[in-house]
Amino acid sequence: MEGKRENRLTKKELRQIFLRYGVMTESAMSYEKMHGATWAYSYLPLGEKYYKDDPEAFKRLLTRHSVFYNTEPQTGQLVNGIVASLEEEIGLGHGIDENVPVTVKASLMGPLAGIGDSVMQGILVPTLLSIAMGMSTGGNAIGPIFYIIAYAAIATAITIISFKSGYKLGVSAIDKIIGENAKRITNMFNTLGIIVIGGLSASTIALTSKLNVPLGEETKPLQEILDGIFPGILPLGMVLFAWWLISSKRLSATKVILILAIVAAIGVLIGLF
C-alpha cells in the first residue's frame, strides 16, 4: 500500500498535465478531433510513469484520449483534473475500467461548454471590457493594459482552481456538474451575462436624435421627449435591432455591423442622428 502511495502522480507530473492542456488546447486543434491531439499530448507524462514497460497499455491510453473532444478551455480544466485522477487510479491498478475517463469526458464537455462560455465570454470579457473602455477615455493606454492583465490573472486563476478541484473531487464532481445542477448554473450565468451586456450597451452606445418636434408655435428636441419617456431608448432600439438580425435573420456579425453602419450613416445624412 505504501508503494502505491509513493507511485501516485507527483506535483510536477500534475503540473505537466495541466500546462500541456492549458497551453496547447487551441494550438493543436483540428476539425476532426478538436482538442483530441492536445489530450493525447497532455497525458504523455502519465503514460511514461505507469506504462513505460507496457507499450500496449500506453497505446490504449493515447488512443482513448485522441477521440473528439471540445469544451471551453478554462473551465474545461475541471474535466482534465477529474480525468487525471481517474487515469491515476487506472495506472495504479485500482480496478477502474479504461472506458470511464472517455465516458466522463463525453458527459461533461457539453455542460462545461455552456457554463464556461457563459462565465468567460458572457460575463468576464464584457465586464472587463466595459471597465477598460471607461479607463481608455481620451486615449489613455491604461485601459487595454488593465484588460490584458486582469483577464490573464482571472483566467489563470479559474484554470488552476478548476483543475485542482477536478483532481481532488474525482468522479464525485460529476454529480455537481451534470443534470439539473448544470441547467441551474447555466441559466444563472446566462441571466447574469444578459444583465452585464445590457449595462454595457446602455453605458457605451452613444445614439441621440437631432430632430426637433413642433409643439404649437414652438419646437422641442425629440431627444428630450424620448428621454422623458424612456432614457436610452435609441441605444436600446439599436441593440434589439442587432439582436433581431442575428437571431431571426441569421446574419453574421460582420453583416450586422455593416447594416448598423449604413443605418447610422443614413441617419446622419438626413439629420435624424
Side-chain angles (χ1 to χ4, degrees), residues 56-75:
E56 286 302 314
F58 204 152
K59 179 180 178 181
R60 291 197 304 273
L61 170 72
L62 299 183
T63 299
R64 64 177 171 266
H65 287 302
S66 296
V67 298
F68 177 89
Y69 180 86
N70 187 33
T71 195
E72 200 282 322
Q74 278 76 41
T75 56

Side-chain angles (χ1 to χ4, degrees), residues 200-218:
L200 179 61
S201 301
S203 61
T204 59
I205 298 177
L207 184 63
T208 57
S209 176
K210 294 182 179 180
L211 286 180
N212 290 318
V213 179
L215 293 175
E217 296 180 357
E218 299 180 354

Side-chain angles (χ1 to χ4, degrees), residues 15-270:
R15 186 164 57 248
Q16 287 178 326
I17 294 172
F18 167 78
L19 289 175
R20 287 181 177 220
Y21 181 79
V23 173
M24 298 299 293
T25 307
E26 305 290 346
S27 303
M29 283 208 316
S30 69
Y31 285 110
E32 180 184 4
K33 294 187 177 181
M34 298 305 283
H35 300 174
T38 300
W39 274 93
Y41 173 70
S42 300
Y43 280 81
L44 285 174
L46 186 143
E48 290 288 343
K49 182 181 185 72
Y50 293 120
Y51 308 121
K52 188 174 183 179
D53 299 323
D54 190 348
E56 286 302 314
F58 204 152
K59 179 180 178 181
R60 291 197 304 273
L61 170 72
L62 299 183
T63 299
R64 64 177 171 266
H65 287 302
S66 296
V67 298
F68 177 89
Y69 180 86
N70 187 33
T71 195
E72 200 282 322
Q74 278 76 41
T75 56
Q77 285 281 11
L78 180 68
V79 183
N80 191 18
I82 296 172
V83 171
S85 175
L86 292 172
E87 288 292 355
E88 181 182 48
E89 295 299 316
I90 294 171
L92 292 171
H94 288 176
I96 296 179
D97 191 281
E98 291 184 357
N99 290 319
V100 173
V102 181
T103 304
V104 168
K105 288 167 62 179
S107 301
L108 296 185
M109 65 178 178
L112 255 296
I115 295 172
D117 289 341
S118 298
V119 173
M120 303 302 296
Q121 281 75 46
I123 297 176
L124 180 61
V125 170
T127 301
L128 293 180
L129 280 176
S130 64
I131 297 172
M133 285 188 287
M135 298 171 68
S136 301
T137 304
N140 195 333
I142 195 66
I145 294 173
F146 162 79
Y147 176 79
I148 293 170
I149 294 176
Y151 180 83
I154 296 173
T156 300
I158 290 174
T159 58
I160 293 174
I161 293 171
S162 296
F163 181 81
K164 288 185 175 181
S165 298
Y167 180 73
K168 181 178 180 180
L169 293 173
V171 291
S172 64
I174 298 175
D175 296 331
K176 304 178 184 297
I177 301 170
I178 62 174
E180 290 300 319
N181 286 334
K183 292 181 180 179
R184 285 194 290 267
I185 294 172
T186 303
N187 289 338
M188 177 186 70
F189 283 125
N190 282 337
T191 302
L192 184 56
I194 292 171
I195 294 172
V196 171
I197 293 296
L200 179 61
S201 301
S203 61
T204 59
I205 298 177
L207 184 63
T208 57
S209 176
K210 294 182 179 180
L211 286 180
N212 290 318
V213 179
L215 293 175
E217 296 180 357
E218 299 180 354
T219 61
K220 187 173 184 179
L222 175 61
Q223 188 60 47
E224 289 187 14
I225 299 174
L226 294 176
D227 288 340
I229 299 172
F230 192 129
I233 192 171
L234 290 180
L236 175 62
M238 292 295 277
V239 171
L240 293 177
F241 178 56
W243 170 75
W244 176 75
L245 291 174
I246 293 173
S247 62
S248 297
K249 298 301 180 180
R250 304 295 179 185
L251 298 183
S252 65
T254 302
K255 291 180 179 179
V256 172
I257 292 172
L258 290 174
I259 291 173
L260 294 179
I262 292 171
V263 170
I266 294 174
V268 171
L269 289 174
I270 65 176

